[in-house]
Amino acid sequence: MKFVLPLLLIFTALTINSFASCPQPEFGVPPCAAWTRADAVFSGKVLKVESVPKEEGFSEGAKKIRFQVLENFKGVDNPTFAVVANPSTETGGVNVIKKGETWIIYARNDIVGKSFTEFRRVKIDSKTPNAELETLKNIIAGKTSSAITGQITSSAASAAD
């Protein structure tokens, strides 16, 4: 009986998240994990930023941003690509995105809203090298690897002896 309340809370949280029309930004997630979860990943130059009418089912203040695609890392086969960005302060809000800027965008296909919604973005500054951009290039080139390091302190086989 004492497990019912925690399970109910977890189920409720999962249900609410699954019905949300726009995913929330994720922080602390490495680029390779975000790339895996995304339906589209690209770097692009902002061509146009416009408001999304509220009747389209997005949050008030949401913006539709059209990009000229500079590099396609996943799922983008057009020279321009549009995403919807919610007015979240967690990613600096949508008002920080200006025409002419270059960004890396991670987006999910929102089937309900019939659009792509961004869940992670990283501004590319031409003055400094961008580690995230290099990581994405390595993912596409197949140059990424994972390794687990550590020291075995005990094993099941020695415990049985």
Side-chain angles (χ1 to χ4, degrees):
M1 216 37 183
K2 64 182 177 178
F3 295 110
V4 174
L5 183 59
L7 288 174
L8 183 61
L9 290 173
I10 291 171
F11 177 75
T12 303
L14 291 174
T15 303
I16 290 170
N17 285 338
S18 68
F19 287 111
S21 64
C22 299
Q24 295 299 311
E26 300 172 347
F27 293 98
V29 176
C32 55
W35 181 86
T36 302
R37 293 185 206 159
D39 296 310
V41 181
F42 65 94
S43 68
K45 186 175 182 177
V46 178
L47 297 174
K48 187 177 189 180
V49 179
E50 58 189 355
S51 295
V52 176
K54 192 170 182 180
E55 59 269 8
E56 289 188 23
F58 292 100
S59 301
E60 186 173 332
K63 303 282 185 183
K64 184 175 187 177
I65 307 160
R66 180 155 303 277
F67 291 89
Q68 173 188 354
V69 176
L70 302 175
E71 289 185 84
N72 170 24
F73 298 107
K74 184 179 185 181
V76 179
D77 56 2
N78 293 321
T80 62
F81 197 84
V83 298
V84 173
N86 278 316
S88 169
T89 56
E90 293 177 15
T91 57
V94 293
N95 295 326
V96 300
I97 300 174
K98 306 289 183 216
K99 183 178 177 180
E101 294 177 336
T102 305
W103 292 82
I104 298 170
I105 300 294
Y106 297 79
R108 291 188 181 115
N109 188 356
D110 182 357
I111 297 169
V112 175
K114 298 179 184 171
S115 64
F116 281 84
T117 55
E118 60 102 30
F119 67 91
R120 178 184 178 118
R121 71 176 99 107
V122 177
K123 188 173 182 182
I124 298 174
D125 184 353
S126 61
K127 297 175 188 167
T128 57
N130 188 292
E132 187 138 351
L133 191 59
E134 291 305 312
T135 299
L136 288 170
K137 289 178 182 180
N138 287 334
I139 290 170
I140 299 305
K143 295 180 181 177
T144 59
S145 63
S146 298
I148 298 173
T149 60
Q151 181 178 11
I152 300 173
T153 57
S154 67
S155 69
S158 65
D161 292 337

